Amino acid sequence: MTATEASDQAPTSMNNRQILQAMSGLMAGMFVAILAGTVVANALPRIIADLGGSQSAYTWVVTSELLAMTATVPLWGKLSDLYNKKLLLQLSLGMFVVGSLLAGFSQGIELLIFSRVMQGIGAGGLTALAQVVMAAIIPPRRLGKYAGIFGAVFAVGTVAGPLVGGVMVDTSWLGWRWCFFIGVPFALLAIALLQRTLHLPTVRRDVKIDYLGAFLIVAGVSAILIWTSLAGNQFDWASWQTAVLTGGGALLLVAAVSVEARVPEPIIPLDIFRNRTVTLTTIASLLVGVAMFGGTVFLSQYFQIALGKSPTVAGLMGLPMILGLLVASTIAGQIISATGKWKIYLVAGGIIMTVGLALLATIDANTGFGLLSLYMAILGVGVGLLMQNLVLAAQNDVPAAELGAATSVLSFFRSMGGTIGTSVLGAILANRVASEMAKSLGTEGEAAGGSSHAVPDMTTLPAPMREIVENAYGLATAELFLVATPFAALALLAVVFIKEKPLKTTSGMERLAEEAKQAVADGDKPSSPTPVS
């Protein structure tokens, strides 16, 4: 069969029913990935206590999954440009199932940490591949209307995770192990749905995997992320550990760039950054990660400590931001699909996100829930207008053969921004809490956790001390949002310079077939897309 014939036989177009059927497996997989990161939030203290872990182990259980997910996203993205995307999705779900079972049956902290790495690698595949597959089957012009489904899954997973985790821990006949087991049936369902509903062409060609580049990228990124996760907690920011991790990470990444510039099939094609849209959306995604994830991850702690709410109530109090994100992404997606205009929503999202963070910088321990809900909803609207539409802009402006690389680069930098932002802002919060408590209590502040990184147990504190701690955490949380605001403003500046281009009306599969035909016409030897069910 010739390349042209193969191209002609590749799937070209899917109707709305077929797309929704295919997305059912994708959404089940995405729900699993989100649930894995949120369901253990309220269960970790019990888990660590039962397994006899230390505060350091607590940190590693949290960061090991995030490190593995962030570091492997570019690898999954590149593999999706080379091999069958459906099989890769099923492989990532399989790895997630194995990691979840290992975590649920863990009898020691070492196995738990290893299992979280397995979960992180699987979640990295789901994060990168879900949006790649959507771009492959849905033209950019129609993609906006489906963004609301992503938003809904994100909202349900984010809100339900901590609540479900709390219920699991508090229910005697379940226990914390079910926080890991609960994702397994969803993952198995996703594998079955993908097998039945998703049909994509496989691009069969002779390829050489850049193993050296992959190793250098993962090692370099991991060194930087380990530093940002542990600095200010396990060791000082200015220390020999900082010098080793940052210096070593920088050298590894420089070596990775050198390797990627020379190999025929780089993990991250450096040429992709010659595309202005990809470069600017990547910068914006990094800054959104710092501002959004770095700032909002501490809201639950603010609800519980500064406002004195229970973990369950704290989970529900985050609903205004999630609903703002869901409504904004859904409505904007529908309008973008109808009009084809998208840049105005990126700019509006940047402005609204900046305003939302600035408003949240004014909160304290006495802020009413009504005002707090308004501020969170504004932030959610801004994030909802930005996150998915940044991916849409990049996917619309790259060749079909680079969809995986472009999508994974954006996801990678957004995750990295969130990790760095969380670590740095967490150190700022700890220092501000210590400072505020020292003002009120002097050296006694240390006894209440002022200079430590342990979260104080509010139920054991007397009323006067509790009031001091609440005030300290209220002011410190406001400072986090104040620090995050300039990053949102820089993200706005980046999207302003993105050039709006008409949204393509063909899917990634159709564009790939067209590019193959053009290669044949030009006398090149193209890849041959072969349908794989």
Side-chain angles (χ1 to χ4, degrees):
M1 181 182 295
T2 67
T4 304
E5 292 170 341
S7 297
D8 289 340
Q9 291 184 14
T12 57
S13 172
M14 299 173 68
N15 59 37
N16 287 337
R17 180 181 177 182
Q18 291 172 323
I19 290 173
L20 287 173
Q21 287 176 338
M23 286 184 64
S24 62
L26 291 178
M27 295 305 101
M30 284 298 296
F31 181 75
V32 163
I34 295 167
L35 197 67
T38 59
V39 75
V40 298
N42 292 331
L44 271 177
R46 182 74 59 83
I47 295 172
I48 298 300
D50 285 355
L51 296 180
S54 62
Q55 180 63 36
S56 175
Y58 185 105
T59 302
W60 276 108
V61 170
V62 174
T63 58
S64 57
E65 187 204 15
L66 187 58
L67 287 170
M69 182 184 75
T70 304
T72 57
V73 160
L75 309 185
W76 286 108
K78 181 58 181 179
L79 290 174
S80 74
D81 287 333
L82 304 178
Y83 300 110
N84 183 259
K85 298 174 179 62
K86 182 171 79 173
L87 295 179
L88 289 172
L89 265 172
Q90 292 173 315
L91 175 61
S92 65
L93 284 163
M95 295 186 70
F96 181 87
V97 168
V98 172
S100 298
L101 292 174
L102 287 175
F105 288 114
S106 294
Q107 300 299 318
I109 202 67
E110 294 81 7
L111 180 58
L112 178 62
I113 292 173
F114 173 77
S115 67
R116 293 288 283 172
V117 171
M118 291 283 290
Q119 282 188 310
I121 295 173
L126 294 168
T127 301
L129 296 170
Q131 296 186 82
V132 173
V133 170
M134 282 188 66
I137 64 177
I138 308 172
R141 181 63 185 264
R142 295 168 59 196
L143 192 58
K145 68 169 63 177
Y146 297 98
I149 301 177
F150 258 108
V153 172
F154 178 84
V156 172
T158 302
V159 173
L163 296 177
V164 171
V167 171
M168 295 287 182
V169 172
D170 293 334
T171 303
S172 59
W173 52 275
L174 288 174
W176 62 262
R177 296 184 185 277
W178 279 94
C179 291
F180 300 106
F181 293 148
I182 192 173
V184 173
F186 289 101
L188 294 175
L189 174 64
I191 292 173
L193 287 173
L194 288 168
Q195 183 63 33
R196 182 170 182 175
T197 63
L198 184 62
H199 306 283
L200 292 172
T202 295
V203 179
R204 301 195 185 283
R205 52 177 170 163
D206 294 330
V207 296
K208 294 181 179 180
I209 301 298
D210 177 22
Y211 294 107
L212 178 58
F215 169 76
L216 291 172
I217 290 171
V218 171
V221 169
S222 296
I224 299 297
L225 292 180
I226 289 171
W227 169 62
T228 58
S229 299
L230 302 184
N233 186 355
Q234 302 298 313
F235 50 81
D236 292 334
W237 288 96
S239 63
W240 68 266
Q241 292 96 330
T242 290
V244 170
L245 289 172
T246 56
L251 288 174
L252 287 167
L253 292 177
V254 168
V257 170
S258 177
V259 170
E260 296 293 272
R262 290 179 171 83
V263 296
E265 291 285 356
I267 298 298
I268 300 179
L270 299 183
D271 288 349
I272 203 172
F273 293 108
R274 294 179 181 175
N275 183 308
R276 174 178 169 179
T277 301
V278 172
T279 300
L280 289 173
T281 52
T282 298
I283 293 171
S285 294
L286 175 69
L287 295 168
V288 167
V290 173
M292 189 265 183
F293 292 103
T296 58
V297 74
F298 298 102
L299 272 176
S300 179
Q301 191 178 62
Y302 165 78
F303 296 147
Q304 294 183 52
I305 298 179
L307 302 185
K309 306 299 182 182
S310 68
T312 301
V313 173
L316 293 173
M317 288 179 73
L319 276 175
M321 185 173 68
I322 300 301
L323 291 175
L325 187 154
L326 174 59
V327 171
S329 64
T330 302
I331 294 177
Q334 294 289 337
I335 298 174
I336 289 171
S337 292
T339 65
K341 303 295 183 182
W342 50 267
K343 181 175 177 180
I344 186 174
Y345 301 101
L346 288 181
V347 175
I351 294 171
I352 295 171
M353 184 175 74
T354 305
V355 170
L357 288 168
L359 290 172
L360 284 166
T362 65
I363 64 175
D364 57 29
N366 300 312
T367 302
F369 180 63
L371 200 58
L372 190 60
S373 296
L374 175 63
Y375 295 167
M376 288 190 296
I378 292 173
L379 177 60
V381 168
V383 173
L385 292 175
L386 265 178
M387 286 182 62
Q388 189 62 27
N389 291 326
L390 285 171
V391 177
L392 173 64
Q395 290 176 337
N396 183 62
D397 201 29
V398 297
E402 294 182 356
L403 275 173
T407 305
S408 63
V409 162
L410 263 65
S411 299
F412 167 70
F413 278 97
R414 184 170 63 238
S415 296
M416 176 173 273
T419 306
I420 294 173
T422 300
S423 302
V424 174
L425 293 178
I428 293 173
L429 178 126
N431 291 333
R432 181 63 190 270
V433 167
S435 173
E436 290 298 322
M437 294 183 66
K439 289 179 185 177
S440 301
L441 300 171
T443 57
E444 295 178 15
E446 297 185 11
S451 64
S452 72
H453 293 271
V455 178
D457 185 351
M458 301 298 287
T459 61
T460 65
L461 298 179
M465 179 67 73
R466 187 162 59 246
E467 184 177 346
I468 291 171
V469 174
E470 289 173 352
N471 181 66
Y473 272 87
L475 294 174
T477 305
E479 184 172 338
L480 296 188
F481 289 108
L482 183 62
V483 172
T485 301
F487 291 97
L490 290 173
L492 169 61
L493 185 63
V495 300
V496 164
F497 286 100
I498 297 175
K499 183 179 180 181
E500 183 165 23
K501 297 183 180 180
L503 292 176
K504 292 181 173 68
T505 57
T506 53
S507 68
M509 291 188 297
E510 295 171 302
R511 287 154 60 189
L512 192 62
E514 291 171 2
E515 290 167 12
K517 289 179 181 179
Q518 186 61 46
V520 170
D522 293 341
D524 298 331
K525 185 178 180 181
S527 307
S528 300
T530 304
V532 174
S533 59

